[in-house]
Amino acid sequence: MNQKPGLPLISPAGEHDAYIGAVAAQLNSFLAEKHQLLAQISPATLVLVDSIKTLVTGGKRMRALLCYWGWRGAGGAPDAEAIVQAGAALELFQAAALIHDDIIDRSDTRRGGPSVHKQFSTLHTDSAWSLDEERFGHAAAILTGDLCLSLSEEMFSRIGAGATSRAREVFNLMRTEVMAGQYLDILEEVAGPSEPHETAVARASAIIRFKSAKYSSEHPLVMGGALAGADEAMLKGYSAFALPLGEAFQLRDDVLGVFGDPAKTGKPAGDDLREGKRTVLVGLTIDAASTQDRDFVDQNLGRQDLSEAEVARMCAIMVESGALENTEAMISGLSQKAFTALAELPVEASVREALLTLGQSAVSRTS
């Protein structure tokens, strides 16, 4: 077996860090190839792959790790190159989604630094180029995200015969669902105010499931299991654990997007409110708030010039209406559902412990 950049044979306790290192090495090697290719086209294009490399460097690697432990739970060997390639493909897909998501949300920051479209706008300004810097930034970032999607597919294809048809089905479904969920998200921003407030939570929950929860946890775990040849019963058990976990993870993200500490989240306080995200938290607020408070939220959500005082009032409405408390209760309930399903999975204790640690980190994080 070609073990480069696979994992050395080590104890289960060291698998987590070793796998992260192997995925990082795979990404570095792969992107170095693309750097050489783009250099032959034009040195001016190197900024595309450099932007991708910056985005895939570091991060929690949650999706790749879920894929790995799905693989190990189904009997996959810790030193297999195929699972490293699968993890790298997921990281590239995640990077593409983040690039496009930041454009859609008009978010200028990512992980405490400038988002990709902001980096390109700054390049335009610093270079004293002609025409509009924002338009250039968005256009260049869209192309970078598209390239990243293409690279994700190329990386997954390198698994070759090791990629079962079931794993390929999961990978393809994941990408389609994310795009559909993303569209539902932007549709809700513009159409939501005219829809019945009683259905706001249901609409937001559907967006969470298809835009985030499935690709953040369910599909990576199931894909890893499928790559290792897991049967449908085990894959169903994986879904029973990972889907509610992914939904709880996104609900936590929504809470942090409003109430999180900017020093930990890397984004300004109340950023989600200025971006106009109609999350479950917002849906619960609209459903439970007084008519006056509901109108205030509806009329001001998505305003780029929201003052700190207006953000504070919106936060107060979320607390006073019980929406924040109810969101936390949903996170708790979904977490319990996930961990109950995890306890029933027919996997080794080391795999269950690793998945438990990942799950607890996902739902209790502060950044």
Side-chain angles (χ1 to χ4, degrees), residues 286 289-301 313:
I286 290 173
S290 66
T291 300
Q292 182 180 0
D293 285 344
R294 182 189 308 147
D295 289 344
F296 178 82
V297 173
D298 264 335
Q299 292 166 10
N300 290 282
L301 191 67
R313 181 181 172 189

Side-chain angles (χ1 to χ4, degrees), residues 32-54:
E33 292 177 24
K34 302 310 167 186
H35 195 278
Q36 292 178 353
L37 174 61
L38 291 181
Q40 296 172 17
I41 296 172
S42 169
T45 66
L46 292 177
V47 66
L48 300 174
V49 73
D50 289 344
S51 296
I52 294 171
K53 183 176 181 179
T54 298

Side-chain angles (χ1 to χ4, degrees), residues 166 229-240 344-346:
R166 185 71 173 87
D231 60 25
E232 287 300 318
M234 173 166 270
L235 298 184
K236 185 176 180 180
Y238 277 177
S239 291
E344 298 173 356
L345 282 177

Side-chain angles (χ1 to χ4, degrees), residues 163 209 336 365:
R209 174 164 290 196
Q336 184 59 49
R365 65 201 175 93

